[in-house]
Amino acid sequence: QVQLVEAGGGLVQAGGSLRRSCADAGRTFSSRAMAWFRQAPGKEREFVAAISPSGVRSNYADSVKGRFTISRDNAKNTVNLQMNSLKPEDTAVYYCAAAGCLLYSTDSKYDYWGQGTQVTVSS
């Protein structure tokens, strides 16, 4: 059904940029809302950004608004997260997730998850 495979991430200095990508091998990608979450050591998983199935609507956590941009390409079954002006507090494992057709910022609403990839921002 849904198989989310993530790419990108890594190590970057504060103020730099990284791009995360997530590809879905399934057939239902274009009908699903997609999101990115992150989890820092010792903290709960938190919402980062979400995008509607068509890509028309998106929302962001206040902590990343203006710095991160979520986008999707339904022809390629991919969702991306462009992260600019990175800060050390952005360091976390980042996960992509797929839900039904509605946008949510709560992780319990997302049924499918990628494997997660570490993003480290050095000061």
Side-chain angles (χ1 to χ4, degrees):
Q1 279 202 10
V2 178
Q3 290 182 291
L4 303 177
V5 178
E6 300 176 28
L11 174 65
V12 67
Q13 287 189 331
S17 298
L18 281 175
R19 183 178 176 87
R20 297 296 323 283
S21 294
C22 176
D24 177 14
R27 300 185 190 180
T28 61
F29 180 82
S30 61
S31 65
R32 294 185 178 276
M34 300 295 296
W36 290 93
F37 288 80
R38 67 186 182 186
Q39 187 167 21
K43 294 187 177 181
E44 293 187 354
R45 187 163 54 192
E46 65 174 357
F47 170 75
V48 175
I51 190 166
S52 63
S54 66
V56 170
R57 291 184 296 116
S58 59
N59 57 23
Y60 296 89
D62 288 343
S63 59
V64 306
K65 204 170 292 184
R67 300 188 298 121
F68 290 13
T69 302
I70 189 170
S71 62
R72 68 189 296 159
D73 184 339
N74 285 347
K76 296 181 179 179
N77 280 19
T78 57
V79 60
N80 303 300
L81 184 68
Q82 179 65 42
M83 304 182 288
N84 298 328
S85 301
L86 282 161
K87 304 175 181 179
E89 51 263 44
D90 294 318
T91 295
V93 176
Y94 283 71
Y95 299 88
C96 68
C101 60
L102 298 178
L103 276 183
Y104 298 107
S105 59
T106 305
D107 58 0
S108 61
K109 297 293 189 180
Y110 288 83
D111 301 313
Y112 303 96
W113 293 82
Q115 78 275 19
T117 305
Q118 179 70 42
V119 170
T120 302
V121 184
S122 62
S123 57

